[in-house]
């Protein structure tokens, strides 16, 4: 894959830019599908749906994914801040499986 993984809340245009760079580098195949699979999404449409679901920092999906990212990165300060603002995150479940959870070959969303 070209470049670093984008943040969970990246705009779909950032994914498209990365897909174009991938296409330029490989000159074959469906670069959007390749990029979506690199992020463990079933296809480009699934990546777009996820990107749109986290576009609003006030949405439940955004808050859940921000908490997941804080746990994974070990950002205790950020996690405490998120939990202080929304104690329900302790029991929350995301509606969309992200690249962080269940990302294995054959387990695309």
């Amino acid at each position: 894959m070209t470049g670093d993984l984008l943040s969970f809340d990246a705009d779909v245009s950032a994914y498209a830019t990365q897909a174009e760079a991938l296409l330029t580098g490989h000159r074959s195949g469906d670069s959007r599908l390749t990029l979506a699979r690199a992020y463990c999404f079933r296809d480009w449409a699934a990546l777009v749906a996820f990107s749109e679901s986290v576009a609003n920092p006030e949405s439940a999906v955004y808050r859940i994914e921000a908490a997941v990212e804080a746990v994974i990165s070990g950002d205790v300060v950020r996690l405490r801040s998120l939990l202080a603002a929304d104690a329900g995150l302790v029991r929350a479940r995301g509606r969309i499986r992200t690249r962080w959870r269940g990302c294995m070959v054959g387990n695309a969303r």
Side-chain angles (χ1 to χ4, degrees):
M1 193 176 84
T2 301
D4 295 326
L5 290 176
L6 298 171
S7 175
F8 79 92
D9 59 345
D11 185 81
V12 73
S13 65
Y15 291 106
T17 298
Q18 208 171 42
E20 291 306 314
L22 189 64
L23 180 61
T24 299
H26 289 94
R27 299 271 188 225
S28 65
D30 183 349
S31 63
R32 287 184 174 194
L33 177 60
T34 300
L35 187 71
R37 294 276 173 89
Y39 283 95
C40 296
F41 288 96
R42 178 183 60 254
D43 53 26
W44 184 254
L47 185 149
V48 169
F50 176 77
S51 180
E52 290 171 352
S53 73
V54 296
N56 178 1
E58 300 301 317
S59 74
V61 175
Y62 179 94
R63 290 191 311 271
I64 291 165
E65 297 305 327
V68 168
E69 194 156 287
V71 169
I72 291 169
S73 66
D75 189 343
V76 176
V77 172
R78 173 84 169 129
L79 183 59
R80 283 184 178 152
S81 172
L82 291 163
L83 291 171
D86 182 358
L89 285 173
V90 171
R91 291 180 191 80
R93 297 227 175 210
R95 291 180 292 141
I96 298 173
R97 295 184 65 196
T98 71
R99 66 180 188 270
W100 304 119
R101 294 187 291 268
C103 184
M104 300 183 314
V105 174
N107 195 22
R109 287 163 285 269

